[in-house]
Amino acid sequence: QVQLVESGGDLVQAGGSLRLSCVVSRNILSIDAMGWYRQAPGKQRELVARISQSGNTNYADSAKGRFTISRDNAKNTVYLQMNSLKPEDTAVYYCAASVDGIGYWGQGTQVTVSS
């Protein structure tokens, strides 16, 4: 079992920044991959950024150059630094983990970007 607890969502103006955090309930290095997803109202959940066990990262085209996924192994925490936020980034952001083919989700944190 893996528990994920997100935090850091907020209301921010366009052009602003936020850092989301996801605390993992076990040794983060034992997790195959972790990612941040988001779901806007009326839309499907989509991958924003992903980091593998080896530290390789992948980003959605919409996130490239603005968002950075990272992790602190000592704190068992994954971060999503979001810069130059746009109104279209408004969504509930979810942390996800994959362990032995099983997916785990956090409860989500709301990010709202005002124009």
Side-chain angles (χ1 to χ4, degrees):
Q1 274 284 22
V2 180
Q3 282 79 47
L4 307 170
V5 179
E6 305 102 329
S7 62
D10 206 344
L11 170 63
V12 64
Q13 287 190 333
S17 298
L18 282 176
R19 188 177 79 160
L20 306 183
S21 300
C22 173
V23 179
V24 185
S25 64
R26 58 186 279 181
N27 184 350
I28 201 169
L29 293 178
S30 69
I31 296 178
D32 300 325
M34 294 204 63
W36 285 97
Y37 289 73
R38 68 186 182 187
Q39 187 166 19
K43 295 188 177 181
Q44 289 188 329
R45 192 172 297 188
E46 61 177 2
L47 175 67
V48 177
R50 177 183 179 275
I51 185 166
S52 70
Q53 192 177 64
S54 63
N56 292 327
T57 58
N58 301 95
Y59 296 92
D61 287 344
S62 59
K64 288 179 182 177
R66 298 188 300 128
F67 294 1
T68 303
I69 188 170
S70 63
R71 68 183 183 211
D72 185 329
N73 298 335
K75 295 182 178 179
N76 290 326
T77 302
V78 174
Y79 302 100
L80 184 68
Q81 177 68 44
M82 304 188 293
N83 299 327
S84 302
L85 283 162
K86 305 175 182 180
E88 51 263 45
D89 295 318
T90 295
V92 178
Y93 284 70
Y94 297 91
C95 179
S98 176
V99 181
D100 296 332
I102 299 174
Y104 300 88
W105 296 91
Q107 82 286 354
T109 186
Q110 177 70 46
V111 172
T112 303
V113 184
S114 64
S115 56

